[in-house]
Amino acid sequence: MKRIIAALFSLVLIIGIFSGCSKAEKKEEKTASLIMPTVLNTIEYTLYQNIFYNEKASEYNGKPAEKEGTFATLYDAYNNVTRYYVWGYNDNTKCCDWQWELKLDNTENLPVNGSLVTVSGTYETNESALDGLWIIKPDIKVKTKYKGNDYDVDMLSMSNTLERVQITNVLNFPDYFKGKTIGFYGRMKNDTSVEDAYYDNSWDVAVEGDFEVPAYGTIVIASGKIDNKKIADVTLSENTQY
């Protein structure tokens, strides 16, 4: 009899544990933000300009780095590597941005793209970094978890600069990206193409789909499937963030 009671008690505990995990997971899902955070930091933008455009990277090599921004991943098909970033805007115009590459030794349990994170690590100049400098041994903490976007190529969680880099990869490596789903933002250039949200002659991509064409110049959110050097089965929606 005691063994039966003990077995039943163990079963109740196991059910309780799984039930608790389920409730915890649902609670975590509910607390994920439906809106991607907007990070504005003019000081960070100025630092970014000094390092990458005024060639000051060597002065920061080995110095500590502390960042707060949006987490994003980018696939670099030129070098066959996934790159990780924390980024933000200069100001509310959102046309100017900054981004710091993170050198990750462990890619398990990464934040959801679009989440607000803090990062502490060390600047390192390195030819393997896309722009010659990254933050090594980054300690990443999530401040606000984002719900995420369900696309193979998620450009909606990227800054304007990172989006430009990613679309360049998509257009120049059509075989690798063919058939992958994609989410992106930009301006309606004409009836059949979308371009950079803020800059002329930056990039544009052909779009095909059963959608109503908004006024040219309207910033839109788009999704579809990559087909050679165009995006097929495109749906468009009104921009609410970019």
Side-chain angles (χ1 to χ4, degrees):
M1 180 62 73
K2 288 182 179 179
R3 290 181 179 178
I4 295 174
I5 293 173
L8 290 173
F9 182 68
S10 297
L11 181 60
V12 170
L13 283 177
I14 293 170
I15 293 173
I17 290 170
F18 280 103
S19 176
C21 290
S22 178
K23 289 178 181 178
E25 289 171 358
K26 289 180 179 179
K27 183 179 180 181
E28 184 178 358
E29 290 174 0
K30 288 180 180 179
T31 57
S33 175
L34 300 178
I35 300 174
M36 196 172 73
T38 298
V39 178
L40 308 178
N41 193 322
T42 298
I43 294 176
E44 201 69 58
Y45 177 71
T46 302
L47 176 62
Y48 174 79
Q49 292 288 309
N50 280 333
I51 286 179
F52 293 109
Y53 293 95
N54 296 330
E55 300 182 355
K56 301 289 186 181
S58 61
E59 297 180 13
Y60 289 86
N61 186 41
K63 291 186 176 180
E66 301 284 340
K67 309 295 175 186
E68 178 174 308
T70 305
F71 183 79
T73 60
L74 178 154
Y75 185 74
D76 175 5
Y78 289 91
N79 296 290
N80 191 30
V81 64
T82 299
R83 298 187 182 275
Y84 308 90
Y85 288 89
V86 56
W87 67 272
Y89 297 107
N90 175 36
D91 55 34
N92 272 315
T93 62
K94 298 181 180 179
C95 63
C96 298
D97 48 53
W98 49 266
Q99 39 274 309
W100 304 101
E101 185 175 355
L102 309 176
K103 173 64 170 66
L104 301 184
D105 298 321
N106 185 347
T107 57
E108 294 181 359
N109 302 315
L110 292 176
V112 175
N113 284 345
S115 295
L116 177 64
V117 300
T118 59
V119 176
S120 60
T122 304
Y123 291 113
E124 181 188 70
T125 54
N126 193 305
E127 291 183 358
S128 295
L130 191 59
D131 292 311
L133 179 140
W134 52 21
I135 297 173
I136 62 172
K137 298 180 180 179
D139 180 20
I140 305 172
K141 291 184 170 57
V142 177
K143 290 191 68 175
T144 304
K145 180 181 177 181
Y146 181 52
K147 67 175 179 61
N149 301 304
D150 191 20
Y151 302 113
D152 298 324
V153 182
D154 175 23
M155 301 202 306
L156 294 174
S157 64
M158 297 180 183
S159 66
N160 180 257
T161 298
L162 293 178
E163 187 184 38
R164 181 170 65 251
V165 174
Q166 186 65 85
I167 196 68
T168 299
N169 277 266
V170 168
L171 296 177
N172 287 330
F173 292 86
D175 291 340
Y176 175 82
F177 289 98
K178 184 177 177 61
K180 295 184 183 297
T181 59
I182 186 172
F184 61 103
Y185 62 96
R187 284 178 298 164
M188 206 68 205
K189 183 176 183 179
N190 51 44
D191 286 9
T192 58
S193 65
V194 174
E195 65 178 344
D196 189 299
Y198 303 108
Y199 298 101
D200 296 332
N201 305 315
S202 171
W203 62 265
D204 65 82
V205 63
V207 292
E208 296 179 350
D210 184 17
F211 54 82
E212 183 176 343
V213 179
Y216 297 170
T218 301
I219 297 182
V220 297
I221 294 173
S223 62
K225 185 173 290 186
I226 302 169
D227 182 11
N228 199 4
K229 294 189 176 184
K230 66 178 183 295
I231 313 300
D233 303 327
V234 168
T235 59
L236 296 178
S237 60
E238 181 182 352
N239 165 59
T240 58
Q241 178 160 351
Y242 305 97

